[in-house]
């Protein structure tokens, strides 16, 4: 049976570091909170699920050594970076050109306007097209591995899963607070428009940041 988790002397610092990192503002947080303010709590939770699934793919790639390609290949890094920036600009454009929904309306029209799986897929794509996540997993997870070489892949996967579970819990808390705040101010059309421009601007800024990120 492979050793899935490191000793407590490494596991506890890993959990604390993971929570701190998940609370750090970034592309994923900006995207999830934008979804929440624009389409409601349920959309935010689905987007966060997609983010977590995408992040788990990065963790798996790190465990298998695939992410090392991003660190050594400028072409691969540049391609993923440009694709990620374009995709974030596309999401920002969608937010600006679509009408925000009240949470109740979003739930009722989900089947016709935006399927749940589409929100999850959009969140996963946003995460997968950010090369910095792959490089982060490649650099972060190995620091907390104390398994034998033959068990290192399994322990990396377990740590990646734990990191993403913690991250999703953090997202749930932030989404809930954001949803409560947004519900109180969404009655005003002016506020709705302002929220759309703020979230789109944040995502556009994140896209520019990704586009000019060096490996």
């Amino acid at each position: 049976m492979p050793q899935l988790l490191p000793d407590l002397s490494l596991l506890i610092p890993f959990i604390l570091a993971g929570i701190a990192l998940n609370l750090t503002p970034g592309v994923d947080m900006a995207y999830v909170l934008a979804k929440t303010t624009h389409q409601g709590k349920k959309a935010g939770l689905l987007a966060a699920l997609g983010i977590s699934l995408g992040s788990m793919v990065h963790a798996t790639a790190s465990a298998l050594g695939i992410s090392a390609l991003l660190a050594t290949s400028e072409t691969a890094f540049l391609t993923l970076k440009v694709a990620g920036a374009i995709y974030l600009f596309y999401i920002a454009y969608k937010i600006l050109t679509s009408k925000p929904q009240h949470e109740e309306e979003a739930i009722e029209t989900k089947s016709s306007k935006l399927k749940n799986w589409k929100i999850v897929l959009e969140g996963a794509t946003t995460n997968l097209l950010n090369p910095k996540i792959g490089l982060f997993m490649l650099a972060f997870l190995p620091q907390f591995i104390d398994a034998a070489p033959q068990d290192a892949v399994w322990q990396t996967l377990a740590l990646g899963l734990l990191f993403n579970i913690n991250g999703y819990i953090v997202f749930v808390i932030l989404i809930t607070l954001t949803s409560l705040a947004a519900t109180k101010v969404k009655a005003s059309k002016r506020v709705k428009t302002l929220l759309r421009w703020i979230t789109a601007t944040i995502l556009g800024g994140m896209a520019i940041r990704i586009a000019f990120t060096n490996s």
Side-chain angles (χ1 to χ4, degrees):
M1 182 98 180
Q3 180 187 349
L4 294 181
L5 293 175
D7 184 79
L8 282 177
S9 61
L10 286 175
L11 184 59
I12 293 175
F14 171 79
I15 293 174
L16 294 176
I19 293 173
L21 289 166
N22 281 307
L23 284 170
T24 304
V27 174
D28 290 347
M29 185 181 293
Y31 168 74
V32 169
L33 296 185
K35 263 309 188 193
T36 303
T37 57
H38 188 60
Q39 290 180 284
K41 182 179 178 180
K42 184 177 181 180
L45 293 172
L46 290 169
L49 176 60
I51 292 291
S52 297
L53 292 175
S55 184
M56 193 61 213
V57 172
H58 280 300
T60 302
S62 175
L64 299 177
I66 298 173
S67 291
L69 176 66
L70 290 176
T72 57
S73 172
E74 290 187 11
T75 301
F77 184 86
L78 179 62
T79 301
L80 200 59
K81 181 176 67 170
V82 171
I86 292 173
Y87 191 70
L88 280 178
F89 273 125
Y90 167 70
I91 294 175
Y93 171 77
K94 281 178 61 179
I95 289 175
L96 284 178
T97 56
S98 63
K99 293 181 179 180
Q101 297 172 311
H102 292 295
E103 186 172 349
E104 295 80 7
E105 295 172 344
I107 293 174
E108 292 174 0
T109 61
K110 202 68 73 181
S111 58
S112 60
K113 291 197 173 181
L114 193 56
K115 299 283 189 181
N116 292 348
W117 67 266
K118 283 188 176 182
I119 300 178
V120 174
L121 181 61
E122 190 177 88
T125 303
T126 300
N127 186 275
L128 289 171
L129 292 180
N130 186 350
K132 298 298 288 184
I133 304 296
L135 295 180
F136 165 75
M137 289 292 182
L138 186 64
F140 179 68
L141 296 180
Q143 297 182 48
F144 299 91
I145 294 174
D146 64 357
Q150 65 270 21
D151 294 340
V153 170
W154 292 106
Q155 192 168 108
T156 303
L157 290 172
L159 289 174
L161 179 60
L162 181 60
F163 178 83
N164 284 299
I165 290 174
N166 289 338
Y168 190 76
I169 292 173
V170 170
F171 273 136
V172 169
I173 295 172
L174 293 176
I175 288 167
T176 301
L177 295 175
T178 301
S179 178
L180 289 173
T183 300
K184 293 182 178 180
V185 299
K186 271 188 175 180
S188 167
K189 285 188 177 181
R190 190 170 297 178
V191 171
K192 288 180 183 179
T193 301
L194 180 61
L195 282 175
R196 286 165 59 194
W197 276 98
I198 289 175
T199 52
T201 300
I202 291 173
L203 290 176
M206 292 294 182
I208 294 173
R209 180 181 173 186
I210 289 179
F212 289 95
T213 294
N214 296 318
S215 59

